[in-house]
Amino acid sequence: MIILAIDTSCDDTCIAILKIKDLRFKILSNIVSSQVKIHAKYGGVYPTLAKREHQRNLPIVLKKTLKKANPSISKIDLIAVTVGPGLEPCLWTGVNFAKDLSQKWKKPIIPVNHIEAHIAANFIKDLQLTRPTSPASELAGGRATHNLQLFPAVCLIVSGGHTQLILMSDFGKYKILGETRDDAAGECFDKVARILGLGYPGGPAIEKQAEKFKVYGLRFKIRLPRPMIHQKNFDFSFSGLKTAVLYDFKNRPVKVRKSKKYVQEIAAETQQAIIDVLIFKTLKAAKKYQAKTIILGGGVTANDELRKQFNPKLKTLNSKLNFLVPPKIFCTDNAAMVAMAGYFNYLKGKRKNWENIKVNANLKI
Ligand code: KG4
Ligand code: ZN
């Protein structure tokens, strides 16, 4: 089976081709056309500009993806497309493009939830499927050789638009345990980077500055809040953290604000505050729901410190806990993860005719 997948939920135009043969998955091609340079001057994504760019990019990216994978069109069995959540005008661009292809090639469409795709990113590998009876048993069965029992799993999905803790009892069965009440974690990285003049996207820029932070003779000893960390629920809030950075920044003399030491220290402290809250709440949820697996996904999980700091803390909870985190290229937006989620949805019989596919910008998992 060959699946062509499309994602235009935010500012990346993504198309990928996934092949499933002899119960093994292989990504034949995975192209991401980034609009970072266009949005950099706004310090965030500008939806109408993003839509225009998607319209311009989609045919070009399709051509490149097909050329790289080289499948004959007749061999493509399915088209998977992200229908939400995301920026509505951007989502429609991808969905309309998928509908056109569906009519032209006479192939069914599988609608995909972007958050579910971030979870599915963890399973993009040469996974040997052993018992293809249901998506969940495929996932578990594919790993049965390694004696892995995956569910229940607690998923932490952190991106520019979302910060959610999700309880997953099977593929396709989810319960949102908590989410951000204001800014997403990635949005906080982006806004702090903007205050510090570090450019967009903020996550990688903050990470770079934080890496440079060493113990200087002179330190500012900045301490930022860890919002909602000790509250009983599994919700998050990051806008106060951004405001705390803004106040600290404004209260410093201009000379200090512009110094490398200050920027590096406040970047390191912002990153650490976000990491502390994310890890603490994820582990608390894993404990409460007796999770067998912690699953990460979304752009923020490309952060090395976050990935690194999870590990020692997992051991304090349960030495048998599985920890899944996608390779970095599959953390940020891509269509390979959409193809993967599309395949699992296909197994559940979710294919549709193009007339019935709709966008839902606020789609819940
Ligand atoms: O998943 P994603 O590519 O797009 C959305 O679905 O939103 O996530 C983008 C977000 C941006 O806010 C970006 O700053 C953040 O992920 N990000 C990072 C890193 N790489 C991307 N945040 C922290 N550290 C990183 N290395
Ligand atoms: Zn995303």
Side-chain angles (χ1 to χ4, degrees):
M1 163 173 274
I2 296 185
I3 302 177
L4 179 128
I6 301 167
D7 186 289
T8 58
S9 58
C10 192
D11 61 339
D12 292 315
T13 314
C14 317
I15 305 187
I17 296 177
L18 169 74
K19 183 175 176 183
I20 302 124
K21 194 181 172 201
D22 299 334
L23 301 177
R24 291 190 87 89
F25 300 137
K26 190 160 194 221
I27 300 292
L28 298 183
S29 164
N30 179 39
I31 310 270
V32 177
S33 166
S34 167
Q35 301 178 9
V36 160
K37 281 192 190 137
I38 292 159
H39 299 286
K41 50 179 175 284
Y42 303 100
V45 182
Y46 202 79
T48 40
L49 253 184
K51 177 190 161 185
R52 198 191 66 193
E53 283 304 303
H54 284 311
Q55 280 170 335
R56 211 174 58 85
N57 286 338
L58 275 166
I60 303 166
V61 176
L62 176 69
K63 211 169 154 189
K64 273 194 200 162
T65 315
L66 289 173
K67 192 172 170 202
K68 174 117 196 285
N70 203 20
S72 67
I73 303 296
S74 63
K75 290 266 168 63
I76 293 173
D77 300 286
L78 284 177
I79 298 163
V81 63
T82 301
V83 295
L87 301 170
E88 182 151 354
C90 298
L91 288 163
W92 270 119
T93 319
V95 166
N96 285 333
F97 192 75
K99 286 184 179 198
D100 285 347
L101 292 181
S102 166
Q103 286 177 80
K104 206 160 93 189
W105 296 346
K106 308 214 170 357
K107 309 287 176 187
I109 300 189
I110 299 274
V112 169
N113 178 312
H114 185 79
I115 303 292
E116 191 172 32
H118 273 304
I119 294 173
N122 284 279
F123 303 99
I124 307 171
K125 45 188 83 151
D126 271 348
L127 188 68
Q128 179 78 52
L129 302 180
T130 51
R131 283 177 287 141
T133 48
S134 77
S137 70
E138 286 213 0
L139 288 179
R143 293 174 170 246
T145 43
H146 309 285
N147 287 329
L148 274 183
Q149 239 206 316
L150 291 174
F151 305 115
V154 164
C155 311
L156 172 71
I157 304 303
V158 261
S159 67
H162 294 88
T163 302
Q164 287 187 329
L165 269 173
I166 299 159
L167 183 65
M168 178 180 187
S169 52
D170 201 339
F171 203 87
K173 286 194 186 150
Y174 310 98
K175 184 181 166 209
I176 296 174
L177 301 176
E179 57 194 330
T180 186
R181 295 188 179 175
D182 40 57
D183 292 352
E187 202 176 348
C188 182
F189 272 113
D190 295 337
K191 286 179 174 171
V192 168
R194 196 172 173 184
I195 294 168
L196 302 176
L198 295 175
Y200 176 83
I206 298 266
E207 179 170 26
K208 204 164 148 201
Q209 292 302 314
E211 242 170 61
K212 290 184 191 161
F213 174 66
K214 301 262 157 50
V215 182
Y216 294 113
L218 169 71
R219 286 188 58 185
F220 303 95
K221 299 215 170 63
I222 302 162
R223 180 77 187 159
L224 294 169
R226 271 67 177 153
M228 295 184 74
I229 195 163
H230 293 303
Q231 288 197 12
K232 284 201 176 120
N233 53 51
F234 294 111
D235 283 345
F236 301 92
S237 163
F238 291 105
S239 83
L241 178 59
K242 168 211 66 194
T243 310
V245 172
L246 185 65
Y247 281 134
D248 192 281
F249 183 82
K250 279 192 171 165
N251 288 329
R252 303 279 175 181
V254 174
K255 203 172 144 210
V256 170
R257 283 187 211 170
K258 289 194 172 163
S259 73
K260 281 186 194 160
K261 285 181 188 175
Y262 174 73
V263 171
Q264 290 167 11
E265 183 173 339
I266 201 158
E269 175 64 3
T270 304
Q271 178 174 278
Q272 196 55 51
I274 295 174
I275 291 175
D276 284 349
V277 178
L278 293 178
I279 294 185
F280 189 86
K281 291 225 158 178
T282 306
L283 293 188
K284 201 169 118 184
K287 193 171 175 191
K288 179 167 177 189
Y289 292 95
Q290 300 184 328
K292 295 206 165 55
T293 310
I294 287 178
I295 294 178
L296 304 191
V300 176
T301 61
N303 186 283
D304 269 325
E305 272 307 308
L306 175 68
R307 298 160 80 98
K308 231 188 283 169
Q309 291 186 29
F310 246 110
N311 262 318
K313 301 228 166 96
L314 294 172
K315 288 185 194 119
T316 63
L317 198 68
N318 169 1
S319 61
K320 287 188 189 141
L321 197 64
N322 306 304
F323 181 56
L324 301 185
V325 52
K328 285 187 192 181
I329 51 154
F330 297 139
C331 289
T332 44
D333 285 350
N334 64 87
M337 67 183 193
V338 176
M340 203 65 204
Y343 179 63
F344 291 124
N345 284 344
Y346 157 78
L347 292 174
K348 288 187 312 198
K350 280 201 178 171
R351 56 202 222 146
K352 287 192 173 174
N353 283 332
W354 65 268
E355 294 98 330
N356 302 325
I357 305 282
K358 286 196 185 80
V359 157
N360 181 352
N362 300 313
L363 188 64
K364 292 275 177 209
I365 192 163

